[in-house]
Every structure is written in structure tokens, then in C-alpha cells.
């Protein structure tokens, strides 16, 4: 019985260490994309989307000033589903659009999943046509 307890303890410790090891890798991966952003600027988002290794889980549209509330000037993309406000600064990236996207189209896409901001095929198809002006990593806390 003592051996089983030791083996289970070792298993859970090892599993927890491996799960945490993936977090810095995601940030390093995103920093690599930002360092090579010239490869994506001026191209459709689908080019970057096809190169992404981790799957996008969540997105948040960002609107312009009140006079341009139907214009989406940038979009945040996340590899986690944020549970708390702090999660919005964790391992994400922002795409600034060369030509603002139409918020009257992206709004219903944002609201239409099982939860608001759920990344799904409809979102990938819509955002895939947007032309990238800039790629910024960890944009919520590094402006």
C-alpha cells in the first residue's frame, strides 16, 4: 500500500510539473511570432492562423472610439478560456487590422457560440480574411 501511495504521489507531482512546463513554451512561441511578424503583416490572418501551433480558444473584438463603434480595430486571441480578469493578460496576442473589420458582423460571431468569445469555425472564416497591420504579444499589460 505504501508503494502505491508513493507511486501515485510521484505521478501527480510529475504531471503537475509537466503541465506548468507548457506555459513558458506558449509565451516563447508567441514572442517568436511577434519577432517574425513581418512575415504576416499585410497578409490575411488565415496565413498566421495556418501557422499557429496551439489552438485559439477565445477571442475578444476591440472597437474604435465612440464615433466608430461599428469598426473593430483590433482583436485579442487567447489559448485559454479566461475565467478571471487576470487571465486576459496571459499568453495571448493581439492583431491590429490594416482596415478595421465590421463589428456588426463580428459582434454576432462573438456572441453566437456556446459562450461569448468562443473560437470556432465561423470565427476562423470571418477573421481569416482580415489583413494584418501588426501583431502584439501580451497586449493587455504591455501597452
Amino acid at each position: 500500500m505504501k508503494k502505491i501511495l508513493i507511486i501515485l504521489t510521484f505521478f501527480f507531482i510529475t504531471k503537475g510539473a509537466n503541465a506548468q512546463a507548457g506555459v513558458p513554451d506558449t509565451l516563447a512561441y508567441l514572442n517568436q511570432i511577434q519577432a517574425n511578424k513581418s512575415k504576416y503583416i499585410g497578409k490575411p490572418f488565415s496565413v498566421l492562423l495556418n501557422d499557429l501551433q496551439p489552438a485559439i480558444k477565445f477571442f475578444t473584438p476591440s472597437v474604435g472610439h465612440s464615433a466608430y463603434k461599428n469598426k473593430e480595430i483590433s482583436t485579442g486571441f487567447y489559448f485559454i478560456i479566461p475565467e478571471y480578469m487576470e487571465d486576459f493578460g496571459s499568453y495571448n496576442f493581439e492583431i491590429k487590422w490594416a482596415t478595421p473589420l465590421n463589428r456588426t458582423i463580428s459582434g454576432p460571431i462573438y456572441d453566437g457560440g456556446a459562450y461569448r468569445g468562443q473560437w470556432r469555425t465561423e470565427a476562423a472564416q470571418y477573421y481569416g480574411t482580415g489583413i494584418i497591420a501588426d501583431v502584439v504579444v501580451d497586449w493587455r499589460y504591455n501597452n
Side-chain angles (χ1 to χ4, degrees):
M1 182 70 170
K2 192 174 184 179
K3 285 184 180 182
I4 292 174
L5 184 59
I6 291 171
I7 291 171
L8 286 175
T9 303
F10 177 76
F11 172 75
F12 287 116
I13 290 172
T14 314
K15 183 174 172 125
N18 288 339
Q20 291 179 354
V23 173
D25 293 341
T26 301
L27 185 56
Y29 178 76
L30 289 175
N31 284 329
Q32 181 182 12
I33 286 177
Q34 186 174 6
N36 297 318
K37 65 184 177 180
S38 61
K39 176 180 175 184
Y40 304 108
I41 292 176
K43 299 211 168 62
F45 181 63
S46 60
V47 174
L48 174 57
L49 195 57
N50 288 334
D51 287 352
L52 284 178
Q53 294 301 312
I56 294 173
K57 304 278 188 208
F58 184 82
F59 71 100
T60 56
S62 178
V63 296
H65 301 290
S66 60
Y68 303 103
K69 63 183 178 184
N70 289 329
K71 303 286 184 189
E72 184 174 339
I73 57 173
S74 65
T75 308
F77 296 94
Y78 306 84
F79 300 107
I80 61 168
I81 299 167
E83 293 183 49
Y84 306 102
M85 287 305 292
E86 305 86 61
D87 295 340
F88 280 99
S90 301
Y91 313 111
N92 63 73
F93 67 102
E94 176 188 28
I95 296 297
K96 294 184 179 185
W97 304 110
T99 302
L101 302 179
N102 187 336
R103 183 73 170 103
T104 60
I105 296 172
S106 64
I109 294 170
Y110 175 75
D111 292 333
Y115 55 87
R116 294 180 89 196
Q118 176 186 18
W119 187 252
R120 54 195 200 288
T121 304
E122 185 180 10
Q125 290 172 346
Y126 176 71
Y127 285 101
T129 62
I131 304 299
I132 298 172
D134 199 6
V135 179
V136 182
V137 172
D138 241 354
W139 60 280
R140 292 278 177 182
Y141 295 111
N142 289 332
N143 272 344

